[in-house]
Amino acid sequence: MNFDRKDLTSEQLVDIYKSLLLPRMIEEKMLLLLRQGRISKWFSGIGQEAIAVGATLALQPDEWIMPLHRNLGVFTSRHMPLHQLFLQWQGSREGYSKGRERSFHFGSAPHHICGMISHLGPQLAIADGVALAHKLRQENKVSLAFSGDGGTSEGDFHEALNTAAVWDLPVIFVIENNGYGLSTPVREQYRCKNLVDKAAGYGMEGIQIDGNNVLTVYDTISGVRDYCLREQKPYLIECMTFRMRGHEEASGTKYVPQELFDEWGKKDPVKNYEDYLVLQEVLNWQEVETIRNNIKAYIDTELNAGFNGRPVIANTTEELNDVYAKEPGVWSSPVQGSGSGIQTMQPAVKLVDNSQPANEQRTTANDASLSELRFIDAIKSALKQSMQQHSNLILMGQDIAEYGGAFKITEGLVQEFGKARIRNTPLCESAIIGAALGLSLEGFKSMVEMQFADFVTAGFNQVVNNLAKIHYRWGQPADVVIRMPTGAGVGAGPFHSQSNEAWFVHTPGLKVVYPSTPEDAKGLLVAAINDPNPVLYFEHKALYRSISGPVPDEYYAIEIGKARQVSIGSDVSIITYGAAVHWATAYANAHPGISLDIVDLRTLLPLDYDAIRASVGRTGKVLLLHEGTLTGGIGGEIAAWISEHCFERLDAPVMRCASLDTPIPFNIDLENNFLARARLDTYIEKLLNY
Ligand SMILES: Cc1ncc(C[n+]2csc(CCOP(=O)(O)OP(=O)(O)O)c2C)c(N)n1
């Protein structure tokens, strides 16, 4: 192995040696503890340490790294104390995730390390978002993300590299090509000669290097970092290495030919570098011995502390409380040792309470000037005012800049706020949602527009696994709003009409809002953008231009989690949301003799159980009405809650009127038959006559 020290001092060479040796010696100890049954699982990076260590040392300590499961060297080179790392691996409360995450699936904002999710590839686009934040603030910083050879086959790899290239982001993508993805050899993983060849396809520079030579890794990444900063472009580095142990310790290595172990054993990154230092007389063997003894002593002391962690005592209140970030400014107890600590100042915003019918008590500011706006214009107004209020708010989506978006909601914004903040995206939902999370790591807010709610499936993983879970896992807020143009009624067929809100209501960590009036559309979007949590904001396309109403001109918010009482009645409750609110009111208008108690939920997660209970109390007969399909819909959840909590108040079975359990048909007659509206009269009759 050829080492070239270039202009590194002997002291620097020794520091690199210590950084390289530490993860190796920790791992050797872990393997021992594993055999003794004192730890349960271990993903080994033995043989690959030069990559994680060299990369981390080449970056500034406040540059984000997105490591994976074999990158212990990232954590140690960022000087995370071993006892706390060990507490983390043991699932202790005093680790980095309060016992909620395993092995290396955790992050720490003070160390600028972003925790991976098991799905691997989603890490890459988060680095895009971080780099975008640096670019927008004109900071001289890069981000660095790892991928295995297996991970390069994921769509996320393609999306993240392409987006970084198109947006000229200073991201360093590092592939650790260690020959295998679990048991899959690289010949069954890809057909190009070298993975770095893919760089050209994205229009970026790339290089393949010896990943076992720590000086090569360090020098290359230092140079690439300079390039990324100077040119404001991404770069792909393929590090050739080998996985010297099984995928994880229990899975064995039978499928790996012995010759490969023999060949790569000779290229051991630690041994070779050690020999080089001795040969160059930077160290002698006695000094090597001393360094090893010091590290051993450090490991033993730290492990002692690590084994003395307090056991986790489950506290359900704390578990539930940590799912969501508190409002900015009151986010006081991030998971110990993590949380970005970045608290963006919240603009002063008036809370409008229009939760009671106009003829009842209503505390909407009477002095506020009102304009008659269409639903779509109310959304526009919320976006525009939020952009004015939050200088750190970025809007992203396909065709949203000059074109104004598929529904023209963002029309004109690019002229006022510029292309840096109103961003057209390539066609890649997953990377953009991942980038939104990266922006959030750096204290930005973002709104991602789905062209149609249906297309969120292409970014589903980022929503339900990254955005939704990150705060619970390691105390990091995901300050992202996803706008979801949703719903049927316009003959748009199975993939431009879906009501998929129920998928997200089943995901703790998300908030789901779904306004039905222009006033609520504006106030809830403002609230969603102010909220530090990931919010899915559903906007029914059929309402955009079909309804209008009075909307305060001022900047105001409507409380997330609070339902609106549309009308108070005594015969039947209709608990509903979205376009179905208008079906219910149309029915009420057409049947003045029936006293309907209509509740517009407005927020589906969290639900306003007080409003539901009050309505049930007034009528004793409940119809849950929604455009989403019946089975597994929100109606089922609310029906269960009512039967559990309001049973004595019921005078009839709780009924659900929902859309048919079929995909959404294109033909208008079929679509009308599909929609819940077709069965509304029948259900109300049933309840009245019960
Ligand atoms: C989306 C997804 N599919 C499957 C897995 C199971 N899995 C975990 S690691 C792994 C192999 C990864 O290989 P590679 O990217 O080369 O990284 P390495 O483990 O070799 O470091 C697989 C298949 C997963 N974690 N995520």
Side-chain angles (χ1 to χ4, degrees):
M1 202 174 282
N2 283 331
F3 290 97
D4 182 355
R5 66 186 288 175
K6 301 214 164 150
D7 50 5
L8 289 171
T9 63
S10 293
E11 202 184 347
Q12 285 173 311
L13 291 177
V14 174
D15 283 345
I16 291 173
Y17 172 62
K18 289 178 183 167
S19 300
L20 187 63
L21 189 55
L22 178 60
R24 168 65 59 90
M25 289 184 65
I26 292 173
E27 280 220 44
E28 284 168 352
K29 182 75 180 180
M30 290 303 139
L31 297 183
L32 204 70
L33 293 175
L34 194 71
R35 282 197 287 277
Q36 293 168 353
R38 298 179 78 193
I39 59 171
S40 58
K41 201 175 173 88
W42 189 255
F43 289 89
S44 174
I46 286 184
Q48 303 182 208
E49 298 94 336
I51 304 168
V53 171
T56 308
L57 296 181
L59 260 53
Q60 293 299 308
D62 62 350
E63 289 176 319
W64 282 90
I65 300 184
M66 321 292 153
L68 295 177
H69 48 292
R70 294 188 206 291
N71 294 138
L72 173 59
V74 170
F75 297 81
T76 52
S77 300
R78 282 273 157 101
H79 307 296
M80 295 174 94
L82 178 57
H83 73 269
Q84 201 176 346
L85 283 174
F86 192 69
L87 288 164
Q88 166 66 28
W89 300 327
Q90 294 288 79
S92 162
R93 183 183 166 76
E94 295 135 283
Y96 288 90
S97 67
K98 293 192 183 177
R100 293 168 185 161
E101 260 297 8
R102 59 189 225 158
S103 57
F104 292 101
H105 297 55
F106 68 95
S108 165
H111 297 92
H112 292 83
I113 291 177
C114 177
M116 67 182 287
I117 61 169
S118 296
H119 304 66
L120 313 166
Q123 282 288 78
L124 297 157
I126 305 176
D128 286 358
V130 167
L132 175 59
H134 297 322
K135 194 177 185 85
L136 292 170
R137 290 204 208 101
Q138 299 183 336
E139 290 166 339
N140 254 346
K141 287 187 196 169
V142 298
S143 57
L144 184 149
F146 286 95
S147 172
D149 41 277
T152 64
S153 300
E154 293 190 59
D156 279 310
F157 178 86
H158 163 72
E159 290 197 11
L161 269 72
N162 187 56
T163 300
V166 172
W167 283 0
D168 293 322
L169 301 176
V171 187
I172 304 175
F173 296 102
V174 177
I175 301 172
E176 290 184 88
N177 190 340
N178 65 6
Y180 286 85
L182 216 158
S183 75
T184 306
V186 289
R187 65 178 176 278
E188 293 181 33
Q189 196 71 250
Y190 56 87
R191 270 290 168 271
C192 50
K193 188 158 173 264
N194 298 301
L195 283 170
V196 72
D197 298 343
K198 293 184 183 235
Y202 298 115
M204 71 172 76
E205 297 290 323
I207 189 171
Q208 186 185 65
I209 60 170
D210 177 359
N212 281 22
N213 183 327
V214 70
L215 294 189
T216 304
V217 175
Y218 175 76
D219 182 58
T220 305
I221 296 189
S222 302
V224 164
R225 179 176 176 276
D226 291 344
Y227 165 92
C228 292
L229 293 177
R230 193 178 58 244
E231 303 294 324
Q232 285 293 296
K233 283 186 191 308
Y235 202 100
L236 180 64
I237 304 173
E238 181 182 12
C239 298
M240 304 311 290
T241 185
F242 193 68
R243 201 191 65 203
M244 292 301 287
R245 303 197 63 86
H247 169 65
E248 51 92 24
E249 282 309 309
S251 63
T253 53
K254 271 196 192 133
Y255 48 86
V256 183
Q258 184 56 41
E259 308 88 81
L260 284 176
F261 286 119
D262 298 342
E263 179 190 336
W264 283 91
K266 292 186 198 119
K267 300 185 199 167
D268 183 85
V270 179
K271 182 74 189 121
N272 278 280
Y273 186 55
E274 196 174 79
D275 288 348
Y276 164 76
L277 294 182
V278 174
L279 200 70
Q280 294 291 308
E281 297 179 359
V282 175
L283 288 175
N284 59 40
W285 286 115
Q286 202 175 346
E287 286 164 330
V288 167
E289 187 70 12
T290 309
I291 291 172
R292 284 182 171 269
N293 286 340
N294 288 344
I295 293 182
K296 184 176 177 310
Y298 165 72
I299 292 175
D300 288 343
T301 317
E302 290 285 302
L303 284 191
N304 263 343
F307 269 119
N308 289 331
R310 278 179 287 143
V312 170
I313 298 165
N315 174 337
T316 303
T317 308
E318 186 183 2
E319 289 303 292
L320 292 170
N321 277 347
D322 281 355
V323 173
Y324 293 97
K326 306 288 173 285
E327 299 301 318
V330 289
W331 182 51
S332 54
S333 56
V335 173
Q336 184 206 351
S338 61
S340 68
I342 298 169
Q343 295 187 351
T344 43
M345 284 309 292
Q346 192 71 344
V349 62
K350 182 184 282 178
L351 213 53
V352 164
D353 181 359
N354 62 355
S355 59
Q356 296 305 313
N359 55 351
E360 301 288 316
Q361 141 244 349
R362 178 180 160 123
T363 57
T364 305
N366 292 327
D367 54 345
S369 63
L370 301 171
S371 298
E372 187 76 4
L373 293 187
R374 296 175 304 172
F375 194 80
I376 191 167
D377 300 320
I379 296 173
K380 279 185 187 189
S381 170
L383 284 177
K384 184 172 167 159
Q385 290 184 359
S386 296
M387 286 295 288
Q388 288 163 345
Q389 294 287 333
H390 298 278
S391 57
N392 63 340
L393 173 62
I394 309 298
L395 310 191
M396 301 187 281
Q398 287 149 30
D399 312 293
I400 70 163
E402 295 84 350
Y403 187 71
F407 297 100
K408 303 292 173 205
I409 288 175
T410 51
E411 200 166 42
L413 293 184
V414 75
Q415 283 78 10
E416 186 171 349
F417 300 103
K419 283 204 75 161
R421 292 180 66 200
I422 310 294
R423 304 188 72 85
N424 278 339
T425 72
L427 205 166
C428 53
E429 285 74 9
S430 184
I432 300 310
I433 298 169
L437 180 54
L439 281 171
S440 180
L441 294 188
E442 273 295 314
F444 278 83
K445 287 179 170 290
S446 58
M447 185 290 295
V448 180
E449 176 179 299
M450 288 293 117
Q451 206 152 65
F452 285 79
D454 310 63
F455 303 141
V456 77
T457 44
F460 195 67
N461 193 28
Q462 292 283 20
V463 179
V464 301
N465 285 321
N466 246 337
L467 298 186
K469 297 179 174 49
I470 195 167
H471 190 266
Y472 175 76
R473 293 169 59 232
W474 52 282
Q476 180 64 45
D479 198 344
V480 179
V481 174
I482 303 182
R483 282 190 28 248
M484 303 276 282
T486 191
V490 289
F495 304 114
H496 289 77
S497 313
Q498 289 174 81
S499 291
N500 50 19
E501 64 277 7
W503 300 348
F504 302 100
V505 172
H506 194 58
T507 306
L510 301 177
K511 294 189 181 182
V512 179
V513 300
Y514 200 150
S516 73
T517 68
E519 184 179 27
D520 288 351
K522 177 171 172 181
L524 278 171
L525 185 50
V526 166
I529 290 169
N530 285 337
D531 196 297
N533 293 286
V535 183
L536 281 108
Y537 175 93
F538 284 83
E539 45 192 65
H540 201 296
K541 305 187 294 281
L543 302 183
Y544 279 157
R545 294 175 171 82
S546 69
I547 63 156
S548 50
V551 177
D553 296 325
E554 65 181 341
Y555 176 69
Y556 68 94
I558 301 246
E559 188 181 340
I560 291 178
K562 196 159 176 134
R564 183 173 65 92
Q565 193 66 43
V566 181
S567 64
I568 294 204
S570 53
D571 291 337
V572 171
S573 294
I574 303 184
I575 299 176
T576 185
Y577 57 92
V581 172
H582 300 281
W583 305 343
T585 45
Y587 183 92
N589 293 338
H591 301 83
I594 305 175
S595 178
L596 291 176
D597 195 275
I598 303 175
V599 178
D600 176 359
L601 290 167
R602 301 197 290 193
T603 301
L604 305 179
L605 185 64
L607 279 167
D608 185 346
Y609 290 111
D610 290 341
I612 295 170
R613 187 197 300 273
S615 180
V616 179
R618 281 191 289 270
T619 64
K621 294 185 174 182
V622 185
L623 180 64
L624 298 159
L625 171 67
H626 57 66
E627 185 177 320
T629 52
L630 182 73
T631 305
I634 287 140
E637 177 60 34
I638 300 174
W641 187 87
I642 292 173
S643 68
E644 192 175 337
H645 297 277
C646 312
F647 185 70
E648 312 77 40
R649 297 181 165 198
L650 289 174
D651 298 323
V654 180
M655 293 195 188
R656 290 173 297 158
C657 178
S659 293
L660 292 184
D661 280 333
T662 69
I664 305 170
F666 159 69
N667 176 287
I668 284 289
D669 292 329
L670 290 178
E671 190 187 50
N672 284 337
N673 180 59
F674 161 85
L675 287 170
R677 185 179 199 168
R679 291 167 289 283
L680 179 57
D681 297 23
T682 316
Y683 272 99
I684 294 180
E685 287 297 316
K686 264 198 213 177
L687 276 170
L688 285 171
N689 297 329
Y690 190 85

